[in-house]
Amino acid sequence: FTGETEYSTNAHDDFVDTVCVGMTTKKLLIGITGAFDNKIIVWDLRNHTQLKILGPGGEETVDGQNIERVGHTGHIHEIRLSPTGGWFASCSGDRSIKLWDTETFKLLFTLREPFGVNCIDISTDENFILSGSRGVVRIWDLTTRKEVMTKYAHEDKVDTVAFAPDSRTFASSSGPSVHVYNRQNDNKGKSKYKLMHQLQNPSGKNISDLRFVNDGKSIQALAKYDTALCWDLSDKAGELTNEAAVAAQKLVYLNIEDNIHVRPRNPTETGFTAEGPIRVAALGPIKSNGERTGIVIEGHKPHIITES
């Protein structure tokens, strides 16, 4: 990885497990990091400053009074910025998903699950959140704040989930396997999600990130040691295509206009290096001069960098 470090700090007290970069509705370029210290930190990437520290949650005694903090009480596993940048969602091992306003950084509301939540995604229309936990994938309606689908998709924990652009199709992964579901109506007009594809990484390596591309007709996956895969979903068998596959570096830093996100599982699962192993990385939009700003994480140390 090539990039010039502009600012770094030991902001977190434990390993960072997730980072995302994107523009807010007020065109502020922010980075958001979540870590095993139960904290979320929002960064102003242009000014290299911390905008807000959210958490950790739990009770705290202030001036003799017990105050309930609204942050997470467990490890932060994933953060996603909404497509319009008005809010972001975080999930945690504390069995919750929290939605936060990107202007005030206030908690909007909390969704509760029976198990720790490993991964989330936000639908393009911002009406739904997809979550994965202990073998279960759920869809939450953000208007009613109710669970509208529960799918026992895998035997083991769900590692990553992704909505397709149409919000009718989603994918989930567990270990090296990827399942793709599509919402269909039965003869009574009732919606249900049907398993369309069961895909497998031929190397047997665990999938760490998923995204739909080509208007939802293909799905890309990032596996251990930066193996990049791409399946053609127009083929009923879900053909694995070398022609459509992208280099791992392009997959990690894909999507130069939209909000991006990546979360390799362990520090050794990525070949990119700055001063040491990079755990997670994300870059913002390309500027007119060809540069873009982002964050790379070494252990629990965030580096705000510029890549040209």
Side-chain angles (χ1 to χ4, degrees):
F1 178 83
T2 58
E4 181 182 348
T5 298
E6 298 179 344
Y7 172 81
S8 63
T9 178
N10 290 311
H12 285 283
D13 302 318
D14 209 333
F15 280 114
V16 177
D17 198 31
T18 181
V19 55
C20 68
V21 170
M23 303 289 288
T24 69
T25 51
K26 293 196 172 182
K27 304 303 179 184
L28 179 66
L29 180 62
I30 62 170
I32 313 171
T33 54
F36 280 15
D37 59 6
N38 306 348
K39 291 191 295 187
I40 296 169
I41 300 179
V42 185
W43 304 81
D44 180 336
L45 295 187
R46 291 195 178 101
N47 296 315
H48 308 165
T49 56
Q50 294 180 23
L51 294 174
K52 191 71 174 180
I53 298 178
L54 302 169
E59 285 193 356
E60 183 177 342
T61 301
V62 178
D63 295 332
Q65 294 183 336
N66 289 333
I67 297 175
E68 183 67 25
R69 299 299 183 188
V70 297
H72 286 289
T73 57
H75 296 168
I76 314 296
H77 291 310
E78 188 134 61
I79 296 171
R80 291 290 178 106
L81 187 62
S82 67
T84 59
W87 53 275
F88 67 90
S90 59
C91 71
S92 168
D94 66 6
R95 307 180 181 184
S96 75
I97 301 168
K98 293 180 180 290
L99 275 67
W100 309 84
D101 187 281
T102 55
E103 185 176 348
T104 64
F105 305 116
K106 289 184 178 179
L107 179 67
L108 299 175
F109 56 86
T110 300
L111 305 172
R112 300 287 182 186
E113 296 208 6
F115 307 112
V117 186
N118 300 320
C119 48
I120 50 174
D121 195 19
I122 302 169
S123 63
T124 304
D125 59 14
E126 302 191 4
N127 290 327
F128 301 96
I129 277 185
L130 181 67
S131 70
S133 57
R134 191 184 300 175
V136 180
V137 177
R138 292 180 169 84
I139 293 179
W140 292 87
D141 184 324
L142 298 183
T143 301
T144 63
R145 305 181 189 180
K146 292 183 178 180
E147 186 180 324
V148 294
M149 187 218 70
T150 303
K151 181 69 66 176
Y152 293 87
H154 301 274
E155 293 183 0
D156 206 344
K157 72 181 181 71
V158 181
D159 294 316
T160 183
V161 291
F163 266 123
D166 63 3
S167 302
R168 297 180 60 89
T169 303
F170 72 83
S172 60
S173 76
S174 178
S177 68
V178 178
H179 292 177
V180 181
Y181 293 86
N182 178 258
R183 188 174 77 227
Q184 300 180 354
N185 294 329
D186 58 22
N187 53 14
K188 296 182 179 179
K190 186 176 181 180
S191 294
K192 65 177 183 178
Y193 284 84
K194 180 181 178 181
L195 179 62
M196 304 300 292
H197 298 279
Q198 289 182 281
L199 310 172
Q200 193 77 12
N201 183 358
S203 72
K205 296 173 183 175
N206 290 354
I207 302 296
S208 60
D209 208 3
L210 289 172
R211 66 184 307 128
F212 284 89
V213 294
N214 192 22
D215 292 328
K217 297 175 184 176
S218 302
I219 189 167
Q220 291 175 336
L222 184 67
K224 287 183 69 173
Y225 311 115
D226 292 335
T227 303
L229 305 166
C230 185
W231 285 278
D232 180 3
L233 300 182
S234 62
D235 185 295
K236 290 185 178 180
E239 180 185 0
L240 185 61
T241 60
N242 291 327
E243 182 180 348
V246 295
Q249 183 173 344
K250 290 183 179 179
L251 179 61
V252 173
Y253 299 119
L254 199 64
N255 202 348
I256 60 176
E257 297 297 334
D258 300 330
N259 303 329
I260 65 172
H261 155 275
V262 66
R263 185 191 52 169
R265 282 282 162 191
N266 296 310
T268 56
E269 286 183 0
T270 173
F272 301 120
T273 58
E275 298 172 5
I278 295 174
R279 185 176 178 83
V280 283
L283 292 176
I286 287 183
K287 302 176 187 176
S288 58
N289 63 359
E291 293 182 343
R292 51 182 172 173
T293 300
I295 295 179
V296 296
I297 304 295
E298 297 177 75
H300 60 271
K301 187 175 184 180
H303 295 260
I304 296 177
I305 59 94
T306 293
E307 183 218 36
S308 57

